[in-house]
Amino acid sequence: MHTKLLFVFPVLFLAACSKTPGEDDPYLWLEEVESERALAWVEEQNDVSVTYLESLPTFEPFYARNLEIYDSDERFASPSLMGDFAYNFWRDANNKRGIWRRATLESYVAGEADWDVILDIDLLAEEEGEDWVWKGSNCLRPVYRRCLLRLSRGGADAVVVREFDTQTREFLDDGFYVSESKSRLSWIDENNVFIGSDFGDGSLTDSGYPRTSRLWSRGTPVEEAKEVYAGQIEDVAATIYRAWDGDVSYDVVHRTPSFFTADRYLYADDGQHRKIEIPDDSRFYGLFNGQMLLELKSAWKPAEIEYAQGTLMSIDFDAFMAGDREFTTVYVPTDRTAIRSAMTTRDYLIVSKLEDVVGKLTRYEFRDGEWIGTDIPTEPLGTISLVTSSEESNVFFYNYEGFLRPDTLYVANDGGTSAEALFALPAFFDADGMRVEQHFASSKDGTKVPYFIVLPKGFVASGDAPTLVYGYGGFEVSRTPNYSATVGHAWLARGGVYVMTNIRGGGEYGPRWHQSALRENRQRAYDDMAAIAEHLIERDITSPRHLGVQGGSNGGLLTGVMLTQRPDLWNAVVVQVPLLDMKRYNKLLAGASWTGEYGDPDTDDWEFIKKYSPYHNIQKDVKYPKAFFTTSTRDDRVHPAHARKMVARMSEMGHDLLYYENTVGGHAGASDNTQAARIQAMLYSYLWDQLGEE
């Protein structure tokens, strides 16, 4: 689906205790996700919020239009190339859970896809009485007949893995099967896989991911699979996977001591794994025609030459393992550019870049010992996303979109020598007269921080435009121009202003932009967000009465901080699937894996974390805007207790707010189009109620 949904969710709860939260936290019982007491509390909050939000006059029309868009047959099917077929997973009004299907590549490119349904998830869920949500497939090359399918109950990260035959369209009775867990599997051949899973005590890291990797052969109980590698309990995860360079395979042991570092080894049957001596914070793209591709997150001097942070480089892999350290540079970013992603065809390396947060595309060919780059023409002020490629040919697909330009899927031939628009979304809202601008705000330390602003038709700066500011700012994730049908019809078309921020902590300017807001420097991201809000007010775009902010996950932490640090700037705050209790975040679900981003609150790091932790900075005597908190019971990545406890504490203090917890949906917040349509309708109804006319 290419409607770019911003999934969200939502209060009054009175408690007797007003202690400062900590290890004596009076709301620890809300961390018991499915306890009877906690779920009764959730139901009470939901009843209040849903009754209010669904009674607003905007709700029903928003909901109806959302569902119409999300179920629209006018959407195009984004491909995943495997062999001679283009595979696609599709949801619509008749397939709420979705169908997995394929068409010949020839028919797909011709615009006449002869779709053949491989698996119907709605039918499977009905037959098995399970709340199945599709989480993807892993198929054995080069035939792609045997596939390991990942199915989640209710949208959680934990999945059940089952082996499926795409020819017979059946699950194999003697196939590989893994019960619900955050497992990782990689095909070795038809009868063997590497597996990391929950094997009982000591098999998982503190972050809840596999610590060990085993070699599992068909027909043997998974409990008897031989352990071939083990990381440390403090690691994020450890796994082994098989990769390919053409017809040549190689196995990589991948140990992640922290979220941003990894040790890689060439796997050996005798256990004498050979370390690949590259920086532990670098991005290892694997091998391409014998060349190891590497992107540096920090400057590196492996021998005589120092390579700059952000450099994309290569070297003959066999020579490197033999001691050679003379790399060939592919691309060196400037202060204004960054690498977004890369993929390969049979003969070319395709690199998606950002230049002042605008997408660019370049094809590279390795010729006579050097990389020759050729820019591929693309449209301006938009985002380029690499979609899929084939190792058997030089065909690849990419997507272009802008705030006011619907997604367009391009098929590129001969590595992009020629490209043509294959499919495009229809316009789900009338963008006539709207315009997009890019501006830069000066943060507290003087850093220029970019943001995009989308202005509605007939806009005149008068200081009273309802304005929604969206932000993330973490984990080197870039927020770039995107086409959102929901934002378009529910916000822009009704006269709202939309702002996409590119604050530090993200990847908009590469690793330096991310690293400048890590750990003790986290406040910079929050200063950036406040500076953009102030810039909008200074430019007479809006005023605090009409200004709202939205973010989810790490962005939910961001909006939680905006609520507690700068309540004077906003009249609406949307806090989605958030981190908020930064004292206990590392003890909840996958939280231990994020200490590289935020710091470890069980050490002296707490001295800088506690200064912004929203749960620890809420005050009874401060006037806060009426915030909207949302989460999901089935979110097994960011614990729902973050939002639950924040709401309980704020309600105890007498603050007015809204809360909605979806009982399914995982970290995305919704597992089907109906849920997403409803939640989005509640969100935009809240925003207009708070930011619209007096």
Side-chain angles (χ1 to χ4, degrees):
M1 177 180 295
H2 284 276
T3 46
K4 297 301 182 295
L5 314 183
L6 298 175
F7 292 120
V8 297
F9 320 82
V11 75
L12 302 176
F13 177 79
L14 301 178
C17 184
S18 60
K19 295 178 182 178
T20 300
E23 292 308 318
D24 58 348
D25 188 344
Y27 300 113
L28 284 178
W29 58 274
L30 286 170
E31 294 181 5
E32 300 170 11
V33 178
E34 295 185 331
S35 73
E36 184 175 345
R37 183 186 181 192
L39 291 179
W41 179 91
V42 167
E43 184 177 0
E44 180 183 349
Q45 318 316 310
N46 282 356
D47 285 346
V48 173
S49 297
V50 170
T51 299
Y52 167 68
L53 292 168
E54 295 192 353
S55 70
L56 295 173
T58 53
F59 176 80
E60 284 298 334
F62 282 170
Y63 173 73
R65 181 57 178 151
N66 286 346
L67 193 57
E68 182 182 20
I69 291 170
Y70 302 166
D71 284 343
S72 171
D73 288 333
E74 295 183 274
R75 295 171 295 124
F76 63 76
S78 187
S80 175
L81 298 186
M82 288 192 286
D84 296 327
F85 292 95
Y87 283 74
N88 168 260
F89 186 74
W90 182 263
R91 289 193 183 109
D92 58 25
N94 297 320
N95 303 280
K96 294 188 180 300
R97 296 179 186 272
I99 52 175
W100 189 40
R101 59 188 187 173
R102 71 183 181 188
T104 62
L105 180 58
E106 182 180 8
S107 71
Y108 180 84
V109 172
E112 301 173 350
D114 54 340
W115 290 115
D116 181 13
V117 176
I118 305 298
L119 181 63
D120 184 325
I121 305 300
D122 293 87
L123 182 60
L124 180 69
E126 181 180 355
E127 290 177 345
E128 299 186 346
E130 291 279 8
D131 183 20
W132 288 132
V133 175
W134 174 262
K135 286 289 187 175
S137 65
N138 176 7
C139 300
L140 177 63
R141 67 179 303 279
V143 179
Y144 303 103
R145 175 176 174 175
R146 298 291 182 90
C147 298
L148 300 171
L149 303 189
R150 298 186 293 276
L151 299 170
S152 162
R153 291 185 174 94
D157 283 357
V159 296
V160 173
V161 180
R162 299 163 67 177
E163 186 178 357
F164 187 82
D165 189 318
T166 59
Q167 182 171 312
T168 64
R169 317 297 166 88
E170 294 178 345
F171 290 102
L172 277 67
D173 291 337
D174 65 341
F176 293 110
Y177 174 89
V178 186
S179 58
E180 187 176 51
S181 65
K182 293 182 179 180
S183 57
R184 300 182 178 186
L185 284 85
S186 175
W187 287 105
I188 299 173
D189 54 40
E190 185 173 324
N191 294 310
N192 298 279
V193 296
F194 290 117
I195 177 173
S197 190
D198 186 352
F199 292 104
D201 290 346
S203 65
L204 299 179
T205 65
D206 290 339
S207 300
Y209 296 104
R211 184 184 71 85
T212 67
S213 193
R214 304 187 181 198
L215 198 160
W216 183 21
S217 298
R218 183 181 303 280
T220 62
V222 67
E223 296 80 11
E224 297 178 9
K226 178 185 176 183
E227 183 179 297
V228 291
Y229 184 77
Q232 303 299 314
I233 196 75
E234 300 84 6
D235 292 344
V236 174
T239 189
I240 302 176
Y241 64 89
R242 171 155 291 190
W244 294 84
D245 181 17
D247 293 329
V248 179
S249 68
Y250 57 100
D251 298 325
V252 178
V253 177
H254 189 96
R255 174 191 170 227
T256 40
S258 71
F259 198 88
F260 302 110
T261 61
D263 295 328
R264 297 95 167 178
Y265 303 82
L266 273 184
Y267 170 80
D269 291 337
D270 62 2
Q272 301 301 306
H273 315 308
R274 297 173 61 198
K275 188 170 185 179
I276 303 173
E277 297 285 354
I278 57 178
D280 62 3
D281 66 345
S282 62
R283 183 173 183 180
F284 175 66
Y285 283 99
L287 308 186
F288 174 57
N289 294 338
Q291 292 284 311
M292 176 177 70
L293 289 165
L294 190 67
E295 180 187 345
L296 298 181
K297 301 300 182 182
S298 303
W300 184 40
K301 189 176 182 180
E304 300 299 321
I305 301 173
E306 180 171 273
Y307 299 93
Q309 182 183 50
T311 298
L312 181 62
M313 55 207 290
S314 81
I315 192 171
D316 180 274
F317 185 64
D318 290 338
F320 177 82
M321 295 303 289
D324 186 7
R325 294 296 182 268
E326 189 173 338
F327 284 80
T328 301
T329 297
V330 182
Y331 175 69
V332 182
T334 68
D335 288 343
R336 297 176 55 217
T337 63
I339 294 170
R340 189 163 189 255
S341 61
M343 68 182 184
T344 60
T345 66
R346 184 186 62 211
D347 302 311
Y348 299 106
L349 169 65
I350 313 298
V351 179
S352 173
K353 306 171 184 175
L354 293 176
E355 183 175 328
D356 277 333
V357 205
V358 174
K360 307 290 181 182
L361 199 59
T362 305
R363 173 184 70 251
Y364 290 94
E365 182 181 8
F366 192 64
R367 195 166 61 220
D368 298 326
E370 62 178 325
W371 290 94
I372 308 299
T374 304
D375 290 338
I376 299 173
T378 55
E379 300 190 48
L381 209 63
T383 296
I384 304 295
S385 302
L386 299 176
V387 177
T388 188
S389 63
S390 170
E391 63 181 26
E392 288 89 12
S393 73
N394 286 320
V395 173
F396 72 94
F397 293 82
Y398 67 90
N399 187 78
Y400 169 87
E401 62 181 315
F403 290 111
L404 304 178
R405 169 70 184 274
D407 294 51
T408 301
L409 183 70
Y410 286 81
V411 57
N413 300 298
D414 195 23
T417 300
S418 65
E420 60 179 310
L422 192 58
F423 303 110
L425 282 179
F428 286 110
F429 63 94
D430 184 3
D432 184 48
M434 298 180 185
R435 67 183 190 271
V436 179
E437 298 175 355
Q438 186 181 43
H439 295 273
F440 293 79
S442 293
S443 193
K444 187 176 181 179
D445 63 1
T447 300
K448 297 296 184 182
V449 183
Y451 66 92
F452 292 98
I453 182 168
V454 189
L455 300 170
K457 182 178 180 179
F459 175 80
V460 177
S462 57
D464 60 357
T467 301
L468 176 60
V469 181
Y470 179 82
Y472 187 77
F475 295 93
E476 205 175 336
V477 173
S478 303
R479 293 305 184 195
T480 58
N482 70 291
Y483 186 82
S484 169
T486 310
V487 171
H489 87 84
W491 193 252
L492 294 170
R494 293 174 59 91
V497 173
Y498 183 73
V499 177
M500 175 78 75
T501 64
N502 305 119
I503 62 178
R504 282 175 286 184
E508 288 86 350
Y509 290 108
R512 70 175 179 86
W513 200 243
H514 170 231
Q515 293 169 16
S516 64
L518 282 178
R519 294 172 47 82
E520 64 270 19
N521 294 318
R522 198 80 198 165
Q523 185 61 41
R524 290 174 177 168
Y526 310 135
D527 291 342
D528 290 355
M529 197 68 168
I532 290 171
E534 291 169 341
H535 199 229
L536 292 168
I537 296 168
E538 290 167 6
R539 294 176 53 227
D540 217 23
I541 300 295
T542 189
S543 64
R545 162 66 182 82
H546 299 284
L547 186 56
V549 64
Q550 176 191 14
S553 193
N554 173 74
L557 171 59
L558 168 69
T559 55
V561 173
M562 289 299 97
L563 175 69
T564 54
Q565 287 191 1
R566 294 301 306 272
D568 58 305
L569 287 176
W570 321 98
N571 198 40
V573 180
V574 179
V575 187
Q576 304 165 254
V577 289
L579 287 89
L580 295 168
D581 180 355
M582 298 305 289
K583 179 61 178 175
R584 288 183 53 77
Y585 87 88
N586 60 325
K587 297 177 174 63
L588 301 173
L589 299 177
S593 64
W594 306 324
T595 55
E597 182 82 9
Y598 304 117
D600 185 347
D602 293 331
T603 68
D604 289 343
D605 293 352
W606 177 241
E607 292 305 308
F608 58 79
I609 297 172
K610 71 180 181 182
K611 294 178 181 178
Y612 69 79
S613 175
Y615 189 50
H616 298 85
N617 283 281
I618 202 76
Q619 302 294 325
K620 184 175 182 178
D621 57 353
V622 174
K623 180 175 175 54
Y624 296 105
K626 183 178 182 178
F628 184 4
F629 294 84
T630 73
T631 190
S632 168
T633 310
R634 289 292 291 167
D635 189 345
D636 56 352
R637 191 181 313 172
V638 177
H639 202 292
H642 284 279
R644 290 177 177 182
K645 295 197 300 181
M646 185 77 167
V647 165
R649 181 161 174 77
M650 289 187 70
S651 296
E652 172 214 340
M653 293 178 176
H655 299 300
D656 191 15
L657 49 81
L658 293 167
Y659 179 82
Y660 179 72
E661 180 173 323
N662 200 17
T663 55
V664 294
H667 193 53
S671 60
D672 64 33
N673 291 348
T674 302
Q675 294 171 20
R678 182 187 185 209
I679 293 166
Q680 290 289 304
M682 286 193 286
L683 165 66
Y684 284 96
S685 294
Y686 157 79
L687 288 168
W688 279 112
D689 191 49
Q690 289 295 114
L691 304 179
E693 297 179 359
E694 295 286 356

